[in-house]
Amino acid sequence: TRQETLLQLLEVALQVLGERVKDASNMRVHVLCLARESTWWDKLKDSSECSSLMSNWLTYTGNYGRAPLPPWASDDRPSAFQDALEDFANAQMIGPLMPIPTPNLSHKMYERPLFIHLAALAALAGEAEHGSEEALVQAQLKREFNHWRRWFGTEEPLPSEDWGSTLAWLSLVNGSDIKVMRKAVEAMGIDTPRFAEVTAGFYPGAAKGLVAPLQPDLLGEALIAQQLGKERGKLIMNLALSHWEQVVETLIILSRIRCVHTSDFRSLTADAPLWQQTVVEGLAEAWLTHGQILLDMGRLLGRRTLAWLLVSWCLLAMEQRECLADALVLRDGSTSISELAVDVARAKLRAAEAKGVESDVAAALHNLATFLSDHVDAASRGEA
């Protein structure tokens, strides 16, 4: 989701290399990036922000590809845990530290530094060892809320549900104007007058009156999942999808979270978490008002959004899909969401056949054949 920034970084790195090194032909530029999945590097050359020169670098032999960081050795984890304990204790002005038992750091989850740091925070708070990633994350969310509650004090109590609902909405829309945030808080029935202002103080935006984008990490995503699975979940989702700019941000956030879908991408699995049903139902309603935005964002974000979009599209009645598809524009470059593009193209054909205009039917057939030929499976290409 930050392709433009990465491409700018690569352009500058190569430019500086060319200016400062007489013979740069044997030099390499290494970029260390944190990413959830590995397909982003291969997609850089297809970005609209990628220059022809950079595209050549990324397409041919100049691209040495990507390599994951080596696993974090178990021998290094105890010292990392102790360092984290000391740093967090200093930050919280706690000391001197009494001996704190080290958890079982051979557990697979401690291959990721984040969970060693969460374990250190839990130990510092006097909590018993947590045996899973989910338990560590939920414990940290509870501590986050307690921090906010202490800040508010006793004069204006802050219910945990109100805090969670607001932060989940704010995480989905990735920042907000404080006036918009006040309206969202009121719509959720939250009676905490200072909440919007306090939140803006914790996350100051680039200008006065703005709450900064939260860019949720694993903790933020866990909070989103937690709150969307609760009573206010549907309302939070509807508020997050109420304006096209928020639809864009929400879809970007959802693209980082795995949708538990069936193999054909057309429905959730029977064991999918409840909150994911809330998401796809909210997106289904958003198709009715922001369908073109969803389709265009799916094309830009690629297969990370396919399941969310196709499952929600399939929740609509056939008549609704045909009515919507008649107004949707299928743009070039939709190969990565070809399953959705094919389904929309089929709906466009049905809508054209219902009208009975031969030229529209011919155009719809041509579009369907084009997207079927882009599909990866042989049956679809044969149908085309």
Side-chain angles (χ1 to χ4, degrees):
T1 55
R2 299 177 190 170
Q3 289 184 343
E4 182 179 354
T5 303
L6 181 55
L7 286 167
Q8 290 172 350
L9 174 64
L10 290 173
E11 293 271 11
V12 171
L14 292 173
Q15 180 182 347
V16 171
L17 190 64
E19 292 173 352
R20 297 187 180 181
V21 181
K22 291 183 179 180
D23 181 13
S25 60
N26 293 320
M27 300 291 289
R28 294 188 185 185
V29 174
H30 293 269
V31 182
L32 180 63
C33 296
L34 298 177
R36 302 290 178 86
E37 41 86 25
S38 58
T39 60
W40 56 273
W41 180 257
D42 297 327
K43 293 177 182 177
L44 277 178
K45 64 181 184 299
D46 301 322
S47 170
S48 59
E49 305 294 333
C50 187
S51 67
S52 57
L53 177 62
M54 182 56 64
S55 179
N56 287 335
W57 272 92
L58 292 169
T59 302
Y60 300 109
T61 55
N63 182 353
Y64 286 91
R66 60 186 182 274
L69 289 173
W72 198 4
S74 298
D75 294 345
D76 296 332
R77 297 176 193 174
S79 60
F81 177 79
Q82 290 300 323
D83 290 343
L85 271 180
E86 293 174 10
D87 288 342
F88 290 140
N90 290 335
Q92 298 178 44
M93 292 182 286
I94 300 173
L97 283 178
M98 299 293 288
I100 293 177
T102 301
N104 178 16
L105 298 177
S106 64
H107 196 291
K108 184 173 176 58
M109 66 181 173
Y110 294 122
E111 290 178 358
R112 305 169 75 177
L114 171 65
F115 290 100
I116 287 187
H117 296 160
L118 292 180
L121 284 167
L124 202 59
E127 299 171 12
E129 181 176 345
H130 297 286
S132 68
E133 294 180 8
E134 175 70 13
L136 278 169
V137 168
Q138 292 301 322
Q140 180 60 26
L141 287 176
K142 186 174 181 180
R143 287 192 295 274
E144 294 265 359
F145 165 66
N146 287 336
H147 171 72
W148 279 69
R149 184 171 58 182
R150 286 193 298 271
W151 202 95
F152 266 80
T154 55
E155 293 183 6
E156 190 177 357
L158 178 65
S160 62
E161 293 301 312
D162 292 352
W163 171 81
S165 299
T166 306
L167 266 292
W169 170 82
L170 195 57
S171 296
L172 282 169
V173 301
N174 210 20
S176 172
D177 181 293
I178 196 167
K179 294 178 182 177
V180 175
M181 183 180 174
R182 283 199 199 101
K183 290 180 180 178
V185 168
E186 290 172 5
M188 286 187 277
I190 296 171
D191 185 23
T192 307
R194 289 194 302 141
F195 199 7
E197 285 72 17
V198 171
T199 306
F202 275 126
Y203 305 106
K208 188 176 180 180
L210 296 179
V211 182
L214 301 192
Q215 297 179 346
D217 54 8
L218 287 175
L219 288 171
E221 291 168 9
L223 178 66
I224 290 170
Q226 178 195 82
Q227 295 301 315
L228 291 183
K230 294 185 177 181
E231 186 177 350
R232 278 194 188 130
K234 184 176 176 61
L235 178 57
I236 294 169
M237 199 65 201
N238 289 343
L239 289 170
L241 297 170
S242 60
H243 188 272
W244 75 265
E245 291 177 328
Q246 294 180 348
V247 171
V248 168
E249 295 296 340
T250 297
L251 205 56
I252 290 173
I253 299 302
L254 289 174
S255 72
R256 300 172 187 157
I257 306 174
R258 187 176 74 88
C259 176
V260 185
H261 58 82
T262 53
S263 59
D264 61 1
F265 293 90
R266 301 180 69 84
S267 62
L268 297 177
T269 61
D271 60 346
L274 174 64
W275 70 270
Q276 297 208 356
Q277 186 65 36
T278 301
V279 170
V280 294
E281 288 175 358
L283 287 171
E285 293 184 21
W287 274 108
L288 304 176
T289 51
H290 303 294
Q292 192 63 54
I293 293 292
L294 291 175
L295 198 57
D296 289 344
M297 285 304 296
R299 181 176 64 87
L300 291 172
L301 294 171
R303 295 194 75 78
R304 292 176 297 169
T305 59
L306 174 61
W308 294 119
L309 293 176
L310 186 49
V311 170
S312 59
W313 170 260
C314 291
L315 287 178
L316 299 173
M318 189 71 75
E319 295 78 9
Q320 287 179 303
R321 280 184 266 171
E322 291 172 10
C323 183
L324 281 172
D326 193 38
L328 293 176
V329 177
L330 284 165
R331 309 190 197 280
D332 293 338
S334 299
T335 306
S336 61
I337 55 167
S338 57
E339 292 91 341
L340 175 61
V342 165
D343 212 85
V344 173
R346 290 189 195 280
K348 289 177 80 71
L349 176 59
R350 290 193 298 271
E353 289 172 338
K355 289 181 179 178
V357 180
E358 289 187 9
S359 59
D360 289 347
V361 172
L365 273 170
H366 174 73
N367 272 340
L368 177 57
T370 299
F371 288 107
L372 280 169
S373 64
D374 287 340
H375 211 316
V376 293
D377 68 84
S380 296
R381 290 198 298 271
E383 183 183 350

